[in-house]
Coordinates of all heavy atoms in Angstrom, one line a residue:
L101 N 138.0 -14.9 -16.5 CA 137.8 -16.1 -15.8 C 137.4 -17.3 -16.7 O 138.0 -18.3 -16.6 CB 136.6 -15.9 -14.8 CG 136.4 -17.1 -13.8 CD1 137.6 -17.4 -13.0 CD2 135.2 -16.7 -12.9
H102 N 136.5 -17.1 -17.7 CA 136.1 -18.1 -18.6 C 137.3 -18.6 -19.4 O 137.6 -19.9 -19.5 CB 135.0 -17.7 -19.5 CG 134.3 -18.8 -20.3 ND1 134.6 -19.0 -21.6 CD2 133.5 -19.8 -19.9 CE1 133.9 -20.1 -22.0 NE2 133.3 -20.6 -21.0
P103 N 138.1 -17.7 -20.1 CA 139.3 -18.3 -20.8 C 140.3 -19.0 -19.9 O 140.8 -20.0 -20.3 CB 139.9 -17.0 -21.4 CG 138.9 -16.0 -21.4 CD 137.9 -16.3 -20.3
L104 N 140.5 -18.5 -18.7 CA 141.4 -19.2 -17.7 C 140.9 -20.6 -17.4 O 141.7 -21.5 -17.5 CB 141.5 -18.4 -16.4 CG 142.4 -18.9 -15.4 CD1 143.9 -18.8 -15.8 CD2 142.2 -18.2 -14.1
V105 N 139.6 -20.7 -17.1 CA 139.1 -22.0 -16.8 C 139.2 -23.0 -18.0 O 139.5 -24.2 -17.9 CB 137.6 -21.9 -16.3 CG1 136.9 -23.3 -16.2 CG2 137.6 -21.2 -14.9
M106 N 138.9 -22.5 -19.2 CA 138.7 -23.3 -20.4 C 140.1 -23.5 -21.1 O 140.1 -24.3 -22.0 CB 137.7 -22.8 -21.3 CG 136.3 -22.7 -20.7 SD 135.7 -24.3 -20.1 CE 135.2 -25.0 -21.6
I107 N 141.1 -22.8 -20.8 CA 142.4 -22.9 -21.5 C 143.5 -23.4 -20.5 O 144.1 -24.4 -20.8 CB 142.8 -21.6 -22.1 CG1 141.8 -21.2 -23.2 CG2 144.2 -21.7 -22.7 CD1 142.0 -19.7 -23.8
E108 N 143.7 -22.7 -19.5 CA 144.8 -23.0 -18.6 C 144.6 -24.3 -17.7 O 145.5 -25.1 -17.5 CB 145.1 -21.8 -17.6 CG 145.8 -20.7 -18.3 CD 147.0 -21.0 -19.2 OE1 147.8 -21.8 -18.7 OE2 147.1 -20.5 -20.3
C109 N 143.3 -24.4 -17.3 CA 143.0 -25.6 -16.5 C 143.2 -26.9 -17.3 O 143.9 -27.8 -16.8 CB 141.7 -25.5 -15.8 SG 141.5 -24.2 -14.6
P110 N 142.6 -27.0 -18.5 CA 142.9 -28.3 -19.2 C 144.4 -28.4 -19.6 O 144.9 -29.5 -19.8 CB 142.0 -28.2 -20.5 CG 141.5 -26.7 -20.5 CD 141.7 -26.2 -19.1
R111 N 145.1 -27.3 -19.8 CA 146.5 -27.4 -20.2 C 147.3 -28.0 -19.0 O 148.2 -28.8 -19.2 CB 147.0 -26.0 -20.4 CG 148.4 -26.0 -21.1 CD 149.0 -24.7 -21.3 NE 148.2 -23.6 -21.6 CZ 148.3 -22.8 -22.6 NH1 149.2 -23.0 -23.5 NH2 147.4 -21.8 -22.8
L112 N 146.8 -27.8 -17.8 CA 147.5 -28.4 -16.6 C 147.1 -29.9 -16.5 O 147.9 -30.7 -16.0 CB 147.1 -27.7 -15.3 CG 147.6 -26.3 -15.2 CD1 147.0 -25.5 -14.0 CD2 149.1 -26.3 -15.0
L113 N 145.9 -30.3 -16.9 CA 145.4 -31.7 -16.8 C 146.0 -32.5 -18.0 O 146.2 -33.7 -17.8 CB 143.9 -31.7 -16.9 CG 143.1 -31.1 -15.8 CD1 141.6 -31.1 -16.1 CD2 143.4 -31.8 -14.5
F114 N 146.3 -31.9 -19.1 CA 146.7 -32.7 -20.3 C 147.8 -33.7 -20.1 O 147.7 -34.8 -20.5 CB 146.9 -31.8 -21.5 CG 147.3 -32.5 -22.7 CD1 146.3 -33.2 -23.5 CD2 148.6 -32.6 -23.2 CE1 146.7 -33.9 -24.6 CE2 149.0 -33.3 -24.3 CZ 148.0 -33.9 -25.0
P115 N 149.0 -33.3 -19.5 CA 150.0 -34.3 -19.4 C 149.6 -35.6 -18.7 O 150.1 -36.7 -19.0 CB 151.1 -33.5 -18.6 CG 150.8 -32.1 -18.8 CD 149.3 -32.0 -19.0
F116 N 148.8 -35.4 -17.7 CA 148.3 -36.6 -16.9 C 147.4 -37.5 -17.8 O 147.5 -38.7 -17.8 CB 147.6 -36.2 -15.6 CG 148.5 -35.3 -14.7 CD1 148.5 -34.0 -14.8 CD2 149.5 -36.0 -13.9 CE1 149.4 -33.2 -14.0 CE2 150.3 -35.2 -13.1 CZ 150.3 -33.9 -13.1
A117 N 146.5 -36.8 -18.5 CA 145.6 -37.6 -19.4 C 146.4 -38.3 -20.5 O 146.2 -39.4 -20.8 CB 144.6 -36.6 -20.0
R118 N 147.4 -37.6 -21.0 CA 148.3 -38.2 -22.0 C 149.0 -39.4 -21.5 O 149.1 -40.4 -22.2 CB 149.3 -37.1 -22.4 CG 150.3 -37.5 -23.5 CD 151.2 -36.4 -23.8 NE 152.0 -36.6 -25.1 CZ 153.3 -36.7 -25.1 NH1 154.0 -36.6 -24.0 NH2 153.9 -37.0 -26.2
E119 N 149.5 -39.4 -20.3 CA 150.1 -40.6 -19.7 C 149.2 -41.7 -19.5 O 149.5 -42.9 -19.8 CB 150.8 -40.2 -18.4 CG 151.4 -41.3 -17.7 CD 152.6 -42.0 -18.4 OE1 153.2 -41.3 -19.2 OE2 152.8 -43.2 -18.2
I120 N 148.0 -41.4 -19.1 CA 147.0 -42.5 -18.8 C 146.6 -43.2 -20.2 O 146.5 -44.4 -20.3 CB 145.7 -41.9 -18.2 CG1 146.0 -41.5 -16.7 CG2 144.5 -42.9 -18.2 CD1 144.9 -40.6 -16.1
I121 N 146.5 -42.4 -21.2 CA 146.1 -42.9 -22.6 C 147.3 -43.8 -23.1 O 147.1 -44.9 -23.5 CB 145.8 -41.8 -23.5 CG1 144.4 -41.2 -23.1 CG2 145.7 -42.3 -25.0 CD1 144.0 -39.9 -23.8
A122 N 148.5 -43.3 -23.0 CA 149.7 -44.0 -23.4 C 149.8 -45.3 -22.7 O 150.1 -46.4 -23.3 CB 151.0 -43.2 -23.2
T123 N 149.6 -45.3 -21.4 CA 149.7 -46.6 -20.6 C 148.6 -47.5 -21.0 O 148.8 -48.7 -21.1 CB 149.7 -46.2 -19.1 OG1 150.8 -45.3 -18.8 CG2 149.7 -47.5 -18.3
S124 N 147.4 -47.0 -21.2 CA 146.2 -47.9 -21.5 C 146.4 -48.6 -22.9 O 146.2 -49.8 -23.0 CB 144.9 -47.1 -21.5 OG 144.7 -46.6 -20.3
V125 N 146.9 -47.8 -23.8 CA 147.2 -48.4 -25.2 C 148.3 -49.4 -25.1 O 148.2 -50.5 -25.7 CB 147.5 -47.2 -26.2 CG1 147.9 -47.8 -27.5 CG2 146.2 -46.4 -26.4
R126 N 149.3 -49.1 -24.4 CA 150.5 -50.0 -24.2 C 150.0 -51.3 -23.5 O 150.3 -52.4 -23.9 CB 151.6 -49.4 -23.4 CG 152.8 -50.3 -23.3 CD 153.8 -49.9 -22.3 NE 153.2 -50.1 -21.0 CZ 153.3 -49.4 -19.9 NH1 154.0 -48.3 -20.0 NH2 152.7 -49.6 -18.8
D127 N 149.2 -51.1 -22.5 CA 148.7 -52.3 -21.7 C 147.7 -53.1 -22.6 O 147.5 -54.3 -22.3 CB 148.0 -51.9 -20.4 CG 149.0 -51.4 -19.4 OD1 150.2 -51.5 -19.6 OD2 148.5 -50.8 -18.4
G128 N 147.1 -52.5 -23.6 CA 146.3 -53.2 -24.6 C 147.0 -54.0 -25.6 O 146.4 -54.7 -26.5
G129 N 148.4 -53.9 -25.6 CA 149.2 -54.7 -26.5 C 149.8 -54.0 -27.6 O 150.4 -54.5 -28.5
F130 N 149.6 -52.7 -27.7 CA 150.1 -51.8 -28.8 C 151.2 -50.9 -28.3 O 151.4 -50.7 -27.1 CB 149.0 -50.9 -29.3 CG 147.8 -51.7 -29.8 CD1 146.7 -52.0 -29.0 CD2 147.8 -52.2 -31.1 CE1 145.6 -52.7 -29.5 CE2 146.7 -52.9 -31.6 CZ 145.6 -53.2 -30.8
P131 N 152.0 -50.3 -29.2 CA 153.0 -49.3 -28.7 C 152.2 -48.2 -28.1 O 151.1 -47.8 -28.5 CB 153.6 -48.9 -30.0 CG 153.3 -49.9 -31.0 CD 152.0 -50.5 -30.6
P132 N 152.8 -47.5 -27.1 CA 152.1 -46.4 -26.4 C 151.7 -45.3 -27.4 O 152.5 -45.0 -28.3 CB 153.1 -45.9 -25.4 CG 154.3 -46.8 -25.4 CD 154.1 -47.8 -26.6
L133 N 150.6 -44.8 -27.2 CA 150.1 -43.7 -28.1 C 150.4 -42.4 -27.4 O 149.8 -42.1 -26.4 CB 148.6 -43.8 -28.3 CG 148.0 -42.7 -29.1 CD1 148.6 -42.6 -30.5 CD2 146.4 -42.9 -29.2
M134 N 151.4 -41.7 -27.9 CA 151.8 -40.4 -27.3 C 151.1 -39.3 -28.1 O 151.4 -38.9 -29.2 CB 153.3 -40.2 -27.4 CG 154.1 -41.3 -26.7 SD 153.6 -41.6 -25.0 CE 154.3 -40.1 -24.2
L135 N 150.1 -38.7 -27.4 CA 149.3 -37.6 -28.0 C 150.2 -36.4 -28.2 O 151.0 -36.1 -27.4 CB 148.1 -37.2 -27.2 CG 147.1 -38.3 -26.9 CD1 146.0 -37.8 -26.0 CD2 146.5 -38.8 -28.2
D136 N 150.0 -35.7 -29.4 CA 150.7 -34.5 -29.6 C 150.2 -33.4 -28.7 O 149.0 -33.5 -28.2 CB 150.5 -34.0 -31.1 CG 151.2 -34.9 -32.1 OD1 152.2 -35.5 -31.7 OD2 150.8 -35.0 -33.2
P137 N 151.0 -32.4 -28.4 CA 150.5 -31.3 -27.6 C 149.2 -30.7 -28.2 O 149.1 -30.7 -29.4 CB 151.6 -30.3 -27.5 CG 152.8 -31.1 -27.8 CD 152.4 -32.2 -28.7
V138 N 148.3 -30.2 -27.4 CA 147.0 -29.6 -27.8 C 147.1 -28.1 -27.7 O 147.6 -27.5 -26.7 CB 145.9 -30.1 -27.0 CG1 144.6 -29.5 -27.3 CG2 145.8 -31.7 -27.1
D139 N 146.6 -27.4 -28.7 CA 146.5 -25.9 -28.7 C 145.2 -25.6 -28.0 O 144.1 -25.5 -28.7 CB 146.6 -25.4 -30.1 CG 146.3 -23.9 -30.2 OD1 146.3 -23.2 -29.2 OD2 146.2 -23.4 -31.4
F140 N 145.2 -25.4 -26.7 CA 143.9 -25.2 -26.0 C 143.4 -23.8 -26.3 O 142.2 -23.6 -26.2 CB 144.1 -25.4 -24.5 CG 144.2 -26.8 -24.2 CD1 145.4 -27.4 -23.8 CD2 143.0 -27.6 -24.2 CE1 145.5 -28.8 -23.5 CE2 143.1 -29.0 -23.9 CZ 144.3 -29.6 -23.5
V141 N 144.2 -22.8 -26.7 CA 143.7 -21.5 -27.1 C 142.9 -21.7 -28.4 O 141.8 -21.1 -28.6 CB 144.9 -20.5 -27.3 CG1 144.4 -19.2 -27.9 CG2 145.6 -20.3 -26.0
G142 N 143.5 -22.4 -29.4 CA 142.8 -22.7 -30.7 C 141.5 -23.4 -30.4 O 140.4 -23.1 -31.0
L143 N 141.5 -24.4 -29.6 CA 140.3 -25.2 -29.2 C 139.2 -24.3 -28.6 O 138.0 -24.3 -29.0 CB 140.6 -26.3 -28.3 CG 139.5 -27.3 -27.9 CD1 139.1 -28.1 -29.2 CD2 140.1 -28.3 -26.9
Y144 N 139.7 -23.4 -27.7 CA 138.8 -22.4 -27.1 C 138.1 -21.5 -28.1 O 136.9 -21.3 -28.1 CB 139.5 -21.6 -26.0 CG 138.7 -20.6 -25.3 CD1 137.8 -20.9 -24.4 CD2 138.8 -19.2 -25.7 CE1 137.0 -19.9 -23.7 CE2 138.1 -18.2 -25.0 CZ 137.2 -18.6 -24.0 OH 136.4 -17.7 -23.4
R145 N 138.9 -21.0 -29.0 CA 138.4 -20.1 -30.1 C 137.4 -20.8 -31.0 O 136.4 -20.3 -31.3 CB 139.6 -19.5 -30.9 CG 140.4 -18.5 -30.2 CD 141.4 -17.9 -31.0 NE 142.2 -16.9 -30.3 CZ 143.5 -16.7 -30.4 NH1 144.2 -17.4 -31.3 NH2 144.1 -15.8 -29.7
Q146 N 137.7 -22.0 -31.4 CA 136.8 -22.8 -32.2 C 135.5 -23.0 -31.5 O 134.4 -22.8 -32.1 CB 137.4 -24.2 -32.4 CG 138.3 -24.4 -33.6 CD 138.7 -25.8 -33.8 OE1 138.7 -26.6 -32.8 NE2 139.0 -26.2 -35.0
N147 N 135.5 -23.4 -30.2 CA 134.3 -23.6 -29.5 C 133.5 -22.3 -29.3 O 132.3 -22.3 -29.4 CB 134.6 -24.2 -28.1 CG 135.0 -25.6 -28.2 OD1 134.7 -26.3 -29.1 ND2 135.7 -26.1 -27.2
M148 N 134.2 -21.2 -29.1 CA 133.5 -19.9 -29.0 C 132.9 -19.5 -30.3 O 131.7 -19.0 -30.3 CB 134.4 -18.8 -28.5 CG 135.0 -19.0 -27.0 SD 133.7 -19.3 -25.8 CE 132.9 -17.7 -25.7
E149 N 133.5 -19.7 -31.4 CA 133.0 -19.4 -32.7 C 131.8 -20.3 -33.0 O 130.8 -19.8 -33.6 CB 134.1 -19.6 -33.8 CG 135.1 -18.5 -33.8 CD 136.3 -18.8 -34.7 OE1 136.3 -19.9 -35.4 OE2 137.3 -18.1 -34.6
R150 N 131.9 -21.6 -32.7 CA 130.8 -22.5 -32.9 C 129.5 -22.1 -32.1 O 128.4 -22.1 -32.6 CB 131.2 -23.9 -32.5 CG 130.2 -25.0 -33.0 CD 130.7 -26.4 -32.7 NE 132.1 -26.6 -33.1 CZ 133.1 -27.0 -32.3 NH1 132.8 -27.3 -31.0 NH2 134.3 -27.2 -32.7
Q151 N 129.8 -21.7 -30.8 CA 128.7 -21.2 -30.0 C 128.0 -19.9 -30.5 O 126.8 -19.8 -30.5 CB 129.1 -21.0 -28.5 CG 129.4 -22.2 -27.8 CD 129.9 -21.9 -26.4 OE1 130.0 -20.8 -25.9 NE2 130.3 -23.0 -25.7
A152 N 128.9 -19.0 -31.0 CA 128.4 -17.7 -31.6 C 127.6 -18.0 -32.8 O 126.5 -17.4 -33.0 CB 129.5 -16.8 -31.9
A153 N 128.0 -18.9 -33.7 CA 127.3 -19.2 -34.9 C 126.0 -19.9 -34.6 O 124.9 -19.6 -35.2 CB 128.1 -20.2 -35.8
A154 N 126.0 -20.8 -33.6 CA 124.7 -21.5 -33.2 C 123.7 -20.4 -32.6 O 122.5 -20.5 -32.9 CB 125.0 -22.6 -32.2
Q155 N 124.2 -19.5 -31.8 CA 123.4 -18.5 -31.2 C 122.8 -17.6 -32.3 O 121.6 -17.2 -32.3 CB 124.2 -17.7 -30.2 CG 123.3 -16.7 -29.4 CD 124.1 -16.1 -28.3 OE1 125.4 -16.0 -28.3 NE2 123.5 -15.6 -27.3
A156 N 123.6 -17.2 -33.3 CA 123.2 -16.4 -34.4 C 122.1 -17.1 -35.2 O 121.1 -16.5 -35.6 CB 124.3 -15.9 -35.3
A157 N 122.3 -18.4 -35.4 CA 121.3 -19.2 -36.2 C 120.0 -19.3 -35.4 O 118.9 -19.2 -36.0 CB 121.9 -20.5 -36.5
T158 N 120.1 -19.4 -34.1 CA 118.9 -19.5 -33.3 C 118.1 -18.1 -33.3 O 116.9 -18.1 -33.4 CB 119.2 -19.8 -31.9 OG1 119.9 -21.1 -31.9 CG2 118.0 -20.0 -31.0
Q159 N 118.8 -17.0 -33.3 CA 118.2 -15.7 -33.2 C 117.7 -15.4 -34.6 O 116.7 -14.6 -34.7 CB 119.2 -14.7 -32.8 CG 119.6 -14.8 -31.3 CD 120.7 -13.8 -30.9 OE1 121.3 -13.2 -31.7 NE2 120.9 -13.8 -29.6
A160 N 118.2 -15.9 -35.7 CA 117.8 -15.6 -37.0 C 116.5 -16.3 -37.4 O 115.8 -15.9 -38.3 CB 118.9 -16.0 -38.0
K161 N 116.1 -17.3 -36.7 CA 114.9 -18.1 -37.0 C 113.7 -17.3 -36.6 O 113.6 -16.7 -35.5 CB 114.8 -19.4 -36.2 CG 115.8 -20.4 -36.8 CD 115.7 -21.7 -36.0 CE 116.7 -22.8 -36.5 NZ 116.6 -24.0 -35.7
P162 N 112.7 -17.1 -37.5 CA 111.4 -16.4 -37.1 C 110.7 -17.2 -36.1 O 110.6 -18.5 -36.1 CB 110.7 -16.3 -38.4 CG 111.2 -17.3 -39.3 CD 112.6 -17.6 -38.8

Side-chain angles (χ1 to χ4, degrees):
L101 189 58
H102 191 258
L104 180 70
V105 168
M106 300 302 285
I107 296 170
E108 291 305 319
C109 294
R111 192 185 327 236
L112 292 170
L113 295 173
F114 180 75
F116 300 96
R118 182 179 191 243
E119 177 61 29
I120 291 167
I121 291 166
T123 300
S124 297
V125 171
R126 185 196 68 219
D127 290 348
F130 299 95
L133 176 62
M134 300 306 289
L135 297 179
D136 289 335
V138 175
D139 176 11
F140 286 104
V141 172
L143 185 63
Y144 177 76
R145 286 183 181 144
Q146 272 182 337
N147 288 336
M148 295 307 291
E149 288 170 5
R150 194 176 312 123
Q151 286 177 7
Q155 189 175 20
T158 302
Q159 291 174 349
K161 289 181 182 177

